[in-house]
C-alpha cells in the first residue's frame, strides 16, 4: 500500500496518508500510552474496582485523566452522580479538540466524523495537529490508523495494570500517579519543537498557567482548565496573527 497517496472522497482531493502510516505515526506515543494505561489499571485495582470494571472503563470511558479521577473518587466512596458530573466537565475539552480538527475532515460524512471523534484523545489530537501543516484535509484512513492503534494499546495496558495491580499496594511509591502529567509534558515539548514557534508557545503556556491558577481559586480546577484552554488558545491565535 502506498503511504503517500491522493484519496478522492465526495469529490474532494485529499492529500493524506494510508492506514498503515497512521499506525506508524502513533508509535512514538505508544510507550506513554502503555505506562499511563498500566498506571490507570493499577490505580483502578487498588481503589477496589474489579478487572472486568477496569476493562469496561478503558473500553467505554477511554480517557486517562477521567479514569484516574474515577479511581480516586471510588476510593473516596464518591457517589455515582458526583463521578458522572465531574467527568463530564473534565472531558468538555474534547469539544475543543474536535472543533479544532473538524475543518480538516469537512469532506467526510457526519457518521465518519463521529467515528473519528469518538476515539480522539489529547495525544492523537497532538499527533494529528502536527500533520496539518500546509494541508487542507487529512485522510480518514490515516486518522483511523492513528486512533485505533492508540485505543488498542490503551485497553491492553489497562488490563495488564489491573492484573498486576493486586500485587502493588502503593502506586505512589513507584511514581505511577505522575505518569499522566509526565506524558502531557513530553507531548507539549515535542509539539513546541515541531512548531518552531517557541515565543508564541511560551506566551500561551504562561497565560494558561496564570489563568488556570486564578480561576481555580474561585471555582473548581476543572472549570479553570476549560477557561484557561479557551482564553490561552485565543491569546495564542491573536499573537500569532499579530506577528
Amino acid at each position: 500500500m502506498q503511504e503517500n497517496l491522493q484519496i478522492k472522497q465526495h469529490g474532494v482531493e485529499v492529500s493524506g496518508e494510508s492506514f498503515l502510516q497512521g499506525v506508524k505515526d502513533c508509535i512514538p506515543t505508544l510507550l506513554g500510552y502503555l505506562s499511563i494505561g498500566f498506571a490507570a489499571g493499577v490505580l483502578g485495582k487498588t481503589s477496589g474496582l474489579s478487572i472486568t470494571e477496569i476493562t469496561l472503563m478503558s473500553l467505554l470511558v477511554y480517557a486517562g485523566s477521567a479514569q484516574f479521577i474515577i479511581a480516586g473518587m471510588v476510593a473516596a466512596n464518591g457517589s455515582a452522580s458526583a463521578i458522572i458530573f465531574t467527568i463530564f466537565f473534565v472531558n468538555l475539552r474534547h469539544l475543543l479538540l474536535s472543533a479544532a480538527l473538524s475543518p480538516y475532515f469537512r469532506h467526510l460524512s457526519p457518521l465518519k466524523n463521529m467515528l473519528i471523534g469518538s476515539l480522539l484523545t489529547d495525544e492523537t489530537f497532538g499527533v494529528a495537529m502536527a500533520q496539518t501543516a500546509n494541508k487542507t484535509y487529512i485522510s480518514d484512513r490515516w486518522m483511523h490508523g492513528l486512533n485505533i492503534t492508540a485505543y488498542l494499546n490503551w485497553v491492553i495496558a489497562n488490563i495488564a495494570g489491573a492484573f498486576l495491580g493486586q500485587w502493588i499496594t502503593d502506586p505512589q511509591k513507584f511514581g505511577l500517579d505522575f505518569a499522566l502529567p509526565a506524558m502531557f509534558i513530553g507531548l507539549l515539548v515535542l509539539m513546541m519543537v515541531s512548531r518552531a514557534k517557541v515565543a508564541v508557545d511560551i506566551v500561551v503556556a504562561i497565560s494558561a498557567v496564570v489563568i488556570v491558577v486564578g480561576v481555580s481559586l474561585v471555582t473548581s480546577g476543572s472549570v479553570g482548565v476549560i477557561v484557561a484552554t479557551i482564553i490561552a488558545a485565543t491569546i495564542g491565535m491573536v499573537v500569532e496573527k499579530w506577528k
Side-chain angles (χ1 to χ4, degrees):
M1 182 183 293
Q2 293 181 349
E3 294 181 358
N4 295 314
L5 44 93
Q6 292 289 325
I7 307 170
K8 199 163 188 175
Q9 298 171 321
H10 301 285
V12 179
E13 288 288 345
V14 183
S15 177
E17 305 289 348
S18 66
F19 181 92
L20 180 59
Q21 186 60 44
V23 173
K24 292 178 179 178
D25 289 338
C26 188
I27 291 176
T29 68
L30 293 189
L31 286 178
Y33 267 93
L34 290 173
S35 61
I36 296 174
F38 181 83
V42 171
L43 291 175
K45 187 64 177 176
T46 56
S47 69
L49 296 174
S50 68
I51 294 176
T52 301
E53 289 171 331
I54 293 170
T55 302
L56 287 173
M57 187 164 62
S58 67
L59 286 168
L60 301 177
V61 178
Y62 184 43
S65 56
Q67 291 179 220
F68 276 87
I69 292 172
I70 291 172
M73 295 185 72
V74 167
N77 296 317
S79 65
S81 58
I83 293 174
I84 293 172
F85 185 78
T86 302
I87 299 307
F88 173 76
F89 279 101
V90 168
N91 283 344
L92 274 179
R93 70 185 187 282
H94 287 280
L95 292 176
L96 302 175
L97 303 183
S98 299
L101 273 182
S102 62
Y104 300 97
F105 295 102
R106 64 181 60 181
H107 58 287
L108 301 177
S109 66
L111 177 59
K112 289 185 176 180
N113 271 285
M114 287 176 62
L115 291 174
I116 291 174
S118 63
L119 293 182
L120 185 67
T121 65
D122 301 273
E123 295 78 21
T124 56
F125 170 79
V127 176
M129 288 304 293
Q131 296 290 319
T132 60
N134 301 318
K135 288 184 179 180
T136 305
Y137 298 98
I138 299 177
S139 163
D140 59 323
R141 296 181 185 179
W142 177 85
M143 195 68 198
H144 284 313
L146 176 70
N147 278 342
I148 292 174
T149 303
Y151 182 61
L152 293 177
N153 275 273
W154 177 257
V155 173
I156 292 171
N158 270 256
I159 295 174
F163 271 109
L164 298 176
Q166 53 191 320
W167 293 291
I168 302 176
T169 57
D170 186 8
Q172 293 185 358
K173 180 179 179 181
F174 299 94
L176 295 179
D177 56 325
F178 188 66
L180 188 63
M183 184 176 181
F184 281 127
I185 292 172
L187 285 170
L188 176 62
V189 172
L190 289 175
M191 288 187 66
M192 290 178 66
V193 171
S194 63
R195 278 168 47 85
K197 297 179 179 179
V198 179
V200 176
D201 292 338
I202 291 177
V203 170
V204 172
I206 294 175
S207 301
V209 171
V210 172
I211 294 168
V212 76
V213 171
V215 174
S216 298
L217 292 176
V218 295
T219 182
S220 67
S222 300
V223 174
V225 170
I226 296 170
V227 173
T229 300
I230 297 173
I231 298 179
T234 303
I235 292 174
M237 180 183 68
V238 172
V239 171
E240 192 164 344
K241 287 184 176 294
W242 178 69
K243 288 185 65 178

